Amino acid sequence: AQTVTQSQPEMSVQEAETVTLSCTYDTSENNYYLFWYKQPPSRQMILVIRQEAYKQQNATENRFSVNFQKAAKSFSLKISDSQLGDTAMYFCAFTPYNTDKLIFGTGTRLQVFP
Amino acid sequence: KAGVTQTPRYLIKTRGQQVTLSCSPISGHRSVSWYQQTPGQGLQFLFEYFSETQRNKGNFPGRFSGRQFSNSRSEMNVSTLELGDSALYLCASSPQLSINYGYTFGSGTRLTVV
């Protein structure tokens, strides 16, 4: 079975600091995609960053970057210079190549304090 | 450009009733998927439609059904509602057949079954 595990139910960070959210996954597939989604209180899931498994280079989007370790099946999200607007639930998700569904982790609730 | 629109935003139904939720994807997006989000089970894939055809279905009972119209708008229906169907139902759209580039989600419909 393909699963995604987020071992940190809650995390907090002070504004302007850096925080890392962990994610591991289990799959026998070789080609797949990994995502981090953010869900603020508005409920809308917002795509934060995307990683293609066949690319060794870690994806970066402004203050957000990932540490992708394919052999270890690990996909952590680093948020630099945290802002109050980063407060949200963060979900790690996985999809095998050319399938049509996301497999989500249970989420990490991130609170950014002033 | 308008995002993914889900209506209604909130819904309260009585056990045994049926309900229909609506989703209008981003203009030009032909793939629409539905997810159920609950505190206990997290985010679970319901089904996916592309060009009016259901391409994939999650592990949900037959009471859950959906359809997609020629304008890509989608509806999902739940018949004989149970208390456990209370959830946030999220719709997501993608321009392509596969979601490798990530979905765009709506803000969801919060269904409460009493």
Side-chain angles (χ1 to χ4, degrees):
Chain A
Q2 295 163 338
T3 58
V4 177
T5 301
Q6 293 180 250
S7 58
Q8 305 153 314
E10 294 185 1
M11 292 195 71
S12 62
V13 64
Q14 196 153 21
E15 204 174 3
E17 297 295 307
T18 296
V19 64
T20 299
L21 279 55
S22 301
C23 172
T24 59
Y25 56 94
D26 186 25
T27 182
S28 57
E29 302 282 341
N30 191 47
N31 293 322
Y32 49 87
Y33 294 83
L34 294 159
F35 305 89
W36 278 97
Y37 277 91
K38 165 185 174 181
Q39 188 178 39
S42 66
R43 305 182 330 201
Q44 184 180 14
M45 299 279 281
I46 301 165
L47 178 63
V48 174
I49 200 164
R50 165 185 171 270
Q51 175 79 42
E52 299 169 52
Y54 62 86
K55 287 188 177 179
Q56 290 187 335
Q57 186 173 6
N58 289 323
T60 299
E61 287 289 342
N62 301 314
R63 300 182 294 108
F64 299 88
S65 61
V66 298
N67 183 2
F68 173 48
Q69 302 289 329
K70 190 173 183 179
K73 296 180 181 175
S74 171
F75 183 60
S76 61
L77 174 70
K78 185 172 83 170
I79 305 174
S80 304
D81 186 25
S82 296
Q83 300 176 359
L84 296 177
D86 295 334
T87 293
M89 281 290 287
Y90 285 82
F91 292 94
C92 178
F94 157 93
T95 181
Y97 185 70
N98 275 337
T99 63
D100 305 314
K101 66 176 183 179
L102 286 166
I103 299 164
F104 284 93
T106 52
T108 296
R109 184 176 302 277
L110 176 67
Q111 179 74 50
V112 180
F113 291 98
Chain B
K1 172 163 153 175
V4 177
T5 303
Q6 290 189 247
T7 57
R9 194 163 168 82
Y10 298 93
L11 204 50
I12 299 175
K13 287 288 189 178
T14 302
R15 197 168 38 176
Q17 287 186 313
Q18 77 165 25
V19 68
T20 299
L21 310 182
S22 180
C23 171
S24 294
I26 289 174
S27 178
H29 285 198
R30 296 167 63 192
S31 173
V32 173
S33 295
W34 290 86
Y35 288 79
Q36 182 196 63
Q37 185 176 19
T38 61
Q41 299 298 316
L43 282 146
Q44 294 187 287
F45 172 78
L46 279 157
F47 25 65
E48 189 259 350
Y49 288 88
F50 184 87
S51 292
E52 301 179 66
T53 301
Q54 184 181 92
R55 288 177 19 94
N56 211 343
K57 191 176 194 303
N59 294 325
F60 280 82
R63 301 185 295 107
F64 291 81
S65 63
R67 59 178 175 168
Q68 186 181 33
F69 302 95
S70 58
N71 62 357
S72 294
R73 190 178 71 85
S74 177
E75 289 181 347
M76 68 162 281
N77 185 277
V78 188
S79 62
T80 319
L81 284 165
E82 301 176 0
L83 296 179
D85 297 333
S86 294
L88 179 66
Y89 289 88
L90 291 165
C91 170
S93 72
S94 172
Q96 304 167 11
L97 191 60
S98 72
I99 59 160
N100 299 337
Y101 288 88
Y103 286 130
T104 300
F105 282 85
S107 296
T109 293
R110 171 81 64 190
L111 171 65
T112 302
V113 182
V114 297

